[in-house]
Amino acid sequence: MPGSRTGGPPVQRAVRRPVAPGPPPDNAVRRLYTRLHRAWDRPLTAYYLILGGSLLITVLGLVMVYSASQITALQMSLPGSYFFRKQLLAAAIGTGLLLAASRMPVKLHRALAYPILAGAVFLMALVQVPGIGVAVNGNQNWIALGGSFQIQPSEFGKLALVLWGADLIARKQDKKLLTQWKHMLVPLVPVAFMLLGLIMLGGDMGTAIILSAILFGLLWLAGAPTRLFVGVLSVAAAIGVILIKSSENRMARLQCLGATEPRSGLVDCWQAVHGIYALASGGIFGSGLGASVEKWGQLPEAHTDFIFAVTGEELGLSGTVSVLALFAALGYAGIRVAGRTEDPFVRYAAGGVTTWITAQAVINIGAVLGLLPIAGVPLPLFSYGGSALLPTMFAIGLLIAFARDEPAARAALSARQPRFGRKRAGGPGRGRAPRRWNTMRRRASAARSSGER
């Protein structure tokens, strides 16, 4: 072996060994996806989505009602906070209804179905009595309660159809009668058409569309055959076409689709076009809360049907996308509750409420965006109007009760340990003595000897 240049012994070099392949690097995106998927699939996800989403929509709606209604109130020689205070009162009453509905057992909800339906039919018929019914914007669908307070019974008809229809279909499913088309349709469709007739007597086409959506949602959940479903849909569409063609106002709303000028020929598209103006001027982050220009008399119904346009102008695209995300989360949670339950009534009621809120939100937002005709329906939980807010919050309470009643959610709730007080049965630490903050003195005295004073 040759020596080194310095004359010393040769240097032994280490032989390089092949490095064994280690574990693949951790993918941060996959890890984040796994964590979000686990959180999304937890038993209480639907419960928190319904509770948190509805609360955020209601609170943001109160803020926007206050901002959008100030100019209208001042133009009517009223205090600037007039509409906001009425909406806040309705939200407080609605919160009580929500809490009551969320704590009611399912049997009580089913027992209330027939009384609510009877009361809604009576009030909707009472609207047509001269001297009792009040016309607002050409539609006679209101009853004066005294002072400035009015009630719209057709809003409670939505809740009545959901509860009564869900109870009816659940009873027929228990008796295995839904395989016959006559039991699928009767008496659900005749009663729904009776409610639609009472609504259309007052000229409220928008509420009739929402009620029709609830009917079709119930039929779809009940597993109606395609031919039967298409047949009912065709009859409803034919009636709708006749009603639209028989009214110049409704035909004018159809002609305003895609309009870019306030007046398109002989048709007045002022509201639709100025709603687009409000959304277009908002930009990404909006002009600022309270800084809307369109609400200064340019945009009609800025705090009711077109409050989404004012939201887009003041909060921008970020604000409108946030509202859309909240409604999407609420709709997903309702579908999840309806899909995971084993109780037929809960499935139909949850599906009916989800159809109601989702369809009404789509129709309202689609009209503001110029994609659908203006139907005159409020944005659920968001627009001004106590008659619409109260039954909607009760319906949200139904969804909360159903979400809490899921077996996995009920087990998760019972396993949670409260911060103070006794641990719940079945939770962690089961079998151990419950620990109380006010029993430390008793333990100290029990540890003493019997002769100690």
Side-chain angles (χ1 to χ4, degrees), residues 65 83 86-87 90 142 303-304 378 382-391:
V65 165
F83 293 104
K86 292 184 64 176
Q87 186 74 355
W142 300 80
H303 61 297
T304 55
F382 202 85
S383 298
Y384 170 78
S387 295
L389 185 62
L390 294 181

Side-chain angles (χ1 to χ4, degrees), residues 89-401:
L89 176 61
I93 299 175
T95 302
L97 293 176
L98 184 148
L99 294 176
S102 64
R103 293 295 179 177
M104 289 181 184
V106 175
K107 291 183 179 180
L108 184 55
H109 289 148
R110 301 186 69 167
L112 290 175
Y114 285 85
I116 292 178
L117 177 64
V121 171
F122 174 75
L123 292 177
M124 291 167 66
L126 202 62
V127 168
Q128 306 305 324
V129 177
I132 298 179
V134 178
V136 177
N137 295 330
N139 296 335
Q140 187 167 346
N141 285 303
W142 300 80
I143 295 178
L145 300 180
S148 60
F149 292 95
Q150 297 176 344
I151 187 174
Q152 187 177 3
S154 57
E155 293 291 339
F156 295 89
K158 304 173 186 176
L159 178 63
L161 181 60
V162 167
L163 287 177
W164 177 80
D167 178 72
L168 175 69
I169 299 175
R171 292 179 186 275
K172 291 193 174 187
Q173 180 175 338
D174 293 338
K175 297 179 180 179
K176 300 181 180 180
L177 298 175
L178 293 181
T179 56
Q180 305 177 25
W181 67 269
K182 59 179 181 181
H183 286 288
M184 180 74 71
L185 297 181
V186 181
L188 177 62
V189 175
V191 171
F193 279 11
M194 177 188 66
L195 295 175
L196 290 172
L198 291 174
I199 292 173
M200 289 308 301
L201 284 177
D204 191 357
M205 186 74 178
T207 305
I209 294 176
I210 305 300
L211 212 67
S212 301
I214 295 173
L215 172 62
F216 294 134
L218 291 174
L219 289 175
W220 181 271
L221 291 170
T226 305
R227 291 180 298 175
L228 186 63
F229 191 83
V230 172
V232 177
L233 183 61
S234 302
V235 172
I239 296 175
V241 170
I242 295 174
L243 293 175
I244 291 174
K245 288 188 174 182
S246 61
S247 173
E248 296 182 0
N249 184 28
R250 297 178 188 131
M251 288 296 298
R253 293 183 181 184
L254 282 177
Q255 297 175 13
C256 288
L257 288 176
T260 57
E261 295 295 334
R263 180 168 291 277
S264 177
L266 300 177
V267 180
D268 185 7
C269 301
W270 181 274
Q271 186 179 25
V273 172
H274 277 272
I276 299 297
Y277 289 170
L279 290 172
S281 61
I284 301 297
F285 299 104
S287 58
L289 192 62
S292 171
V293 176
E294 291 294 332
K295 69 182 181 183
W296 288 76
Q298 300 296 325
L299 181 62
E301 306 296 336
H303 61 297
T304 55
D305 300 344
F306 272 69
I307 194 171
F308 188 77
V310 179
T311 303
E313 185 179 4
E314 296 187 351
L315 302 183
L317 180 64
S318 58
T320 55
V321 170
S322 299
V323 174
L324 291 175
L326 289 173
F327 276 108
L330 193 60
Y332 166 79
I335 295 174
R336 175 169 169 165
V337 170
R340 292 195 173 190
T341 184
E342 297 179 357
D343 189 337
F345 172 78
V346 173
R347 181 183 305 112
Y348 299 135
V353 171
T354 306
T355 303
W356 163 14
I357 296 177
T358 305
Q360 187 164 330
V362 168
I363 292 174
N364 177 275
I365 295 174
V368 175
L369 295 176
L371 303 176
L372 295 174
I374 299 175
V377 297
L379 190 58
L381 301 173
F382 202 85
S383 298
Y384 170 78
S387 295
L389 185 62
L390 294 181
T392 306
M393 294 193 75
F394 187 90
I396 294 295
L398 288 177
L399 290 180
I400 293 175

